[in-house]
Amino acid sequence: MSGLLGKKIGMTSIYDANGKNIPVTVIEAGPCVVTQIRTKEKDGYEAVQLSFDEKKEKHTTSGLKGHFAKAGTTPKRYISEFTRFEHRKEFGEVITVEVFIEGEYVDVSGISKGKGFQGVVKRHGFAGVGDATHGQHNRLRAPGSLGASSYPSRVMKGVRMAGRMGNHKVKLINLQIVKIVPEKNLILVKGAVPGAINGYLKIERWN
Amino acid sequence: MSQNAIIQFVEDQVAVKEFPEFKAGDTITVTYKIIEGNKERLQRFQGVVLQRVGDGPKATFTIRKISNNVGVERIFPISSPFIDEIEVNKKGAVRRARIFYLRGLRGKKARIKEARR
């Protein structure tokens, strides 16, 4: 596999060769620096650690400062590991959008937008209870029954209820790369990707 | 580069043809390409502009016409490569930018006065 780290810029639409209007998400991907190489002997697993996006020196802890200095680069904001990386990458190597090809499919993961504490209708797609009128009082968006009564006499584990929604990792698979702009480090992916604008994304290609 | 500048850069790559100026209330004829199998031909759609939405290459406009006594509306993206030509037939005098009230009117009531220039 190969991949990159990126940042969500926003959405727009472009036209393909057939004149079809395609909704695209613009992602600023790379350049990423290989800041560590995990090996079987030393770490027990194989992986490549990439770092992306500049960060001020004064906002960097001294431990991380040393970590980046070792790779011969400036402090970076977003660090992530990739397992089973295609080519054997050198320590300190810079990877750009040229690892991708237009038309191929990638997986994009990011942190979804936080929705706060939400009820079951929004969070799990429940239909709510009954009617809005005909004597119905205040149970329009209620979850309804949580289970049977005397047996099991308890609420089963994992019953879907209200709670915190969003702000967790979401991965979308098989998004097509519509266009690549190497001089500006941009890739245009068909459709939406998780998270807010300026949110960090991990882009992986498996094939 | 800021986020807006990057989006702007991407949108600048989309070619927008030059068309005559028109607004809601105008009667226009859009000539657009239709691809049937391998054959390509031109078709015309004449009607009243109901609204123009958005700006830049993402902008669209809605045209309405009465065909066989049935109201037909079509939304065209302004940067659609299928649009061949836009011809302004009549400038209409309307007071608003979105003339959806036209949908509720028929016959003589659905006429729009010509703008005085």
Side-chain angles (χ1 to χ4, degrees):
Chain A
M1 67 84 64
S2 78
L4 269 186
L5 304 175
K7 197 190 217 178
K8 178 167 167 181
I9 300 296
M11 288 192 73
T12 180
S13 66
I14 61 169
Y15 291 88
D16 70 1
N18 299 325
K20 214 168 143 51
N21 195 345
I22 309 170
V24 291
T25 307
V26 183
I27 301 170
E28 189 176 15
C32 297
V33 184
V34 179
T35 43
Q36 197 168 26
I37 292 174
R38 305 275 190 193
T39 57
K40 196 108 196 160
E41 301 80 56
K42 204 170 171 211
D43 308 288
Y45 64 101
E46 300 252 339
V48 169
Q49 185 194 77
L50 298 187
S51 300
F52 168 69
D53 209 12
E54 294 304 317
K55 173 158 124 177
K56 277 187 180 161
E57 193 103 343
K58 67 173 179 183
H59 294 147
T60 314
T61 60
S62 48
L64 271 178
K65 262 183 211 166
H67 182 70
F68 288 118
K70 222 165 151 190
T73 179
T74 50
K76 298 277 187 281
R77 216 181 270 269
Y78 184 45
I79 305 169
S80 190
E81 282 183 8
F82 291 77
T83 50
R84 295 198 280 159
F85 217 73
E86 202 162 64
H87 312 290
R88 197 85 196 98
K89 291 293 175 192
E90 298 299 318
F91 184 53
E93 193 181 334
V94 177
I95 306 175
T96 60
V97 285
E98 266 129 38
V99 293
F100 298 125
I101 304 161
E102 274 178 23
E104 67 184 3
Y105 292 84
V106 290
D107 300 347
V108 177
S109 57
I111 305 290
S112 63
K113 280 184 184 175
K115 305 287 181 193
F117 193 99
Q118 293 296 337
V120 289
V121 173
K122 188 181 178 89
R123 192 174 183 222
H124 300 298
F126 283 19
V129 175
D131 291 333
T133 56
H134 292 299
Q136 185 71 269
H137 178 44
N138 56 4
R139 295 190 43 81
L140 189 61
R141 293 174 73 90
S145 167
L146 297 180
S149 177
S150 57
Y151 183 79
S153 260
R154 64 189 173 87
V155 175
M156 290 297 187
K157 270 189 176 177
V159 169
R160 292 172 295 169
M161 295 191 197
R164 292 273 183 97
M165 185 183 171
N167 197 22
H168 53 75
K169 189 178 170 183
V170 174
K171 180 190 262 186
L172 290 182
I173 62 167
N174 292 336
L175 302 179
Q176 192 178 20
I177 297 182
V178 181
K179 200 173 168 186
I180 298 173
V181 189
E183 61 269 26
K184 290 205 188 289
N185 295 312
L186 301 180
I187 61 174
L188 273 58
V189 165
K190 185 174 174 181
V193 303
I197 283 174
N198 275 335
Y200 288 117
L201 302 168
K202 189 172 177 176
I203 308 150
E204 297 162 295
R205 187 199 62 198
W206 300 89
N207 50 26
Chain B
M1 211 153 75
S2 78
Q3 271 59 48
N4 283 339
I6 296 174
I7 293 282
Q8 190 70 48
F9 166 78
V10 173
E11 288 179 355
D12 284 347
Q13 315 286 305
V14 180
V16 188
K17 281 185 215 151
E18 284 285 321
F19 294 122
E21 206 178 288
F22 62 91
K23 62 173 189 58
D26 296 352
T27 305
I28 65 172
T29 308
V30 180
T31 312
Y32 57 97
K33 288 178 208 134
I34 284 192
I35 294 165
E36 286 166 334
N38 301 328
K39 269 195 286 182
E40 192 184 281
R41 63 186 180 84
L42 296 174
Q43 199 167 69
R44 291 150 81 81
F45 191 102
Q46 186 180 43
V48 180
V49 180
L50 285 195
Q51 61 171 350
R52 296 196 62 160
V53 180
D55 55 8
K58 281 200 293 185
T60 61
F61 58 92
T62 308
I63 329 182
R64 178 185 170 86
K65 73 168 175 187
I66 307 287
S67 175
N68 295 329
N69 239 348
V70 179
V72 180
E73 283 179 23
R74 224 188 130 131
I75 303 169
F76 289 98
I78 195 93
S79 53
S80 167
F82 293 114
I83 297 184
D84 192 58
E85 195 195 346
I86 296 176
E87 192 191 327
V88 181
N89 307 112
K90 208 167 102 184
K91 288 268 175 196
V94 289
R95 291 186 170 189
R96 50 212 72 218
R98 300 183 177 195
I99 51 167
F100 297 136
Y101 67 83
L102 209 64
R103 288 173 179 160
L105 303 178
R106 308 229 109 200
K108 281 189 169 181
K109 284 234 165 90
R111 285 177 303 182
I112 293 172
K113 254 198 212 157
E114 192 151 359
R116 292 164 59 183
R117 38 196 110 193

